[in-house]
Each structure stands twice: as C-alpha cells, then as structure tokens.
Amino acid sequence: KQEVTQIPAALSVPEGENLVLNCSFTDSAIYNLQWFRQDPGKGLTSLLLIQSSQREQTSGRLNASLDKSSGRSTLYIAASQPGDSATYLCAVGNYQLIWGAGTKLIIKP
Amino acid sequence: GAGVSQSPRYKVAKRGQDVALRCDPISGHVSLFWYQQALGQGPEFLTYFQNEAQLDKSGLPSDRFFAERPEGSVSTLKIQRTQQEDSAVYLCASSFSGNTEAFFGQGTRLTVV
C-alpha cells in the first residue's frame, strides 16, 4: 500500500531564504506526483505536476524534482516571500491520489 | 466556469440528518473526484467518475455515503444519517482526463453536531 510522508510537518524561515520541502513515498511505481498549496479556509491549488517519466518541473520560483528509485520528491522555493506562507502537500497516483499530511510553511517578514 | 465550484461552503448538520454536497466541475473536464480531508491531514480519496460512470468508489467509508454524476457534469455527494465522525472538509476536483492535472474546489466544511 502506497504511503506518502512529508517532513518537516512545519517550517518557519525568514523572508528571502531559499528552502526545500521533502516528500517521500513507499512504492516507486507511481504514475504522477503533484505538489499543491493550501491556504487556510481555501481549497487546494496545483503548483506542479511531474509525470513518472520526468525528473523535474519548474514554475517561476518553484522547482520540483522526482527520484522514483529513492522514492523522493523535493519542492524548492527560491527567494521566499511572506505570500508563500501556506501548507504544501504532495500527492502521488493516477486518478486516485495518495497524499502526504503536508508541511506548514511560515515565511517571516 | 473558470474553476471548480462547490456548494455550500459550510454546512452544519444535526446527527442523523441527511446532507447533499454539490460540485460543479470545470467545463469539459471528463474526470471528477471527491476527497475527504480531516483537520491537519491530507485528503483521502472517496470516489472517481469518468463522465457519468462511477469507476471507483472504494474510498467511500460506509454505505451511508453515495455519489452521483447523472449527466457527466455536476456531481452530488450525499451522506445519509450523518455521524460526528463525518465532520470534515469535502473536496471536489476535476481534470481533463484521469491522469492529468487535477483542479480542486474550495471544499465544503461539514460539521455534524
């Protein structure tokens, strides 16, 4: 059974720092891996989707990598801003996504 | 519409009451998903539709939960005889096809008292 883990559960850093969020999964036979952000009281916003044949995807200040053999993905955020404060979740799967519990990120001005 | 729309945003139900949660997916999206999210946890899969066909309902926690998408567009998640453990945020998502990027609605927060 696929399990997804995100460490740390919470992270607080000063504005401007580059940071890395981690996601690990137990079954390397994944189809897609997707990173989302969730703001309090709001839905999930898709950030990046990496297909199983890909190793990374980039969007603006965000870069997500995928290493299926080690069962890991990282989300790199460059030059963090207070507006980046949110909970970041990763999910793996095909039509049925299996989710981590998220990393709550706080960027201090 | 521009995005996935869910209604109501908030619902308070007395234990034993039936509730119906609505999801309007992005126009043209074939696939529709329902997830349940407890406080502080990641979402848990409930069910998946491709057009009007419910292809997977393995995540529905009990026979009190029922979902439909009769015309392949709007979907309704119905919970009968609600229990306190049903309290959660119910998220709906749609995608162009089953394995492409999923777009989520804002969710319906259900509180059973």
Side-chain angles (χ1 to χ4, degrees):
Chain A
K1 178 185 176 184
Q2 179 73 273
E3 293 184 1
V4 180
T5 304
Q6 292 186 248
I7 295 175
L11 181 64
S12 180
V13 300
E15 179 179 5
E17 282 198 7
N18 303 324
L19 57 98
V20 174
L21 306 181
N22 297 294
C23 172
S24 61
F25 45 93
T26 55
D27 186 349
S28 62
I30 65 170
Y31 199 92
N32 292 331
L33 185 143
Q34 202 164 350
W35 281 94
F36 296 85
R37 70 174 279 169
Q38 188 169 36
D39 295 277
K42 297 186 178 181
L44 292 151
T45 301
S46 177
L47 297 173
L48 292 163
L49 180 145
I50 310 177
Q51 296 180 343
S52 63
S53 59
Q54 298 174 323
R55 293 191 63 86
E56 67 176 342
Q57 283 286 340
T58 298
S59 176
R61 295 182 293 108
L62 305 179
N63 175 275
S65 67
L66 174 63
D67 184 345
K68 287 200 306 178
S69 61
S70 65
R72 292 179 183 176
S73 176
T74 60
L75 178 67
Y76 175 83
I77 303 177
S80 58
Q81 303 171 357
D84 296 330
S85 298
T87 296
Y88 290 80
L89 297 108
C90 69
V92 301
N94 186 353
Y95 68 85
Q96 181 181 141
L97 293 174
I98 309 297
W99 299 75
T103 295
K104 184 176 182 179
L105 177 65
I106 297 174
I107 307 298
K108 297 175 289 186
Chain B
V4 179
S5 177
Q6 291 187 246
S7 60
R9 287 291 313 281
Y10 304 92
K11 176 69 178 179
V12 178
K14 292 184 178 180
R15 192 172 57 174
Q17 184 179 352
D18 297 349
V19 298
L21 312 180
R22 177 187 170 105
C23 174
D24 282 87
I26 293 173
S27 178
H29 278 192
V30 168
S31 299
L32 185 145
F33 318 81
W34 284 97
Y35 287 84
Q36 180 190 59
Q37 187 176 24
L39 189 64
Q41 302 295 319
E44 298 266 348
F45 172 80
L46 294 177
T47 187
Y48 162 57
F49 289 86
Q50 186 169 320
N51 295 309
E52 70 278 6
Q54 189 174 22
L55 299 187
D56 189 339
K57 55 181 181 179
S58 62
L60 296 177
S62 77
D63 59 7
R64 296 185 295 104
F65 287 70
F66 172 77
E68 61 183 4
R69 194 186 185 198
E71 297 179 357
S73 179
V74 171
S75 177
T76 303
L77 176 67
K78 298 179 179 179
I79 309 173
Q80 297 177 324
R81 304 181 303 281
T82 52
Q83 303 294 316
Q84 282 192 319
E85 60 263 27
D86 299 335
S87 296
V89 175
Y90 290 85
L91 295 163
C92 175
S94 70
S95 67
F96 184 72
S97 67
N99 55 14
T100 56
E101 188 175 8
F103 295 87
F104 282 77
Q106 292 187 303
T108 294
R109 180 177 296 277
L110 173 65
T111 304
V112 181
V113 297

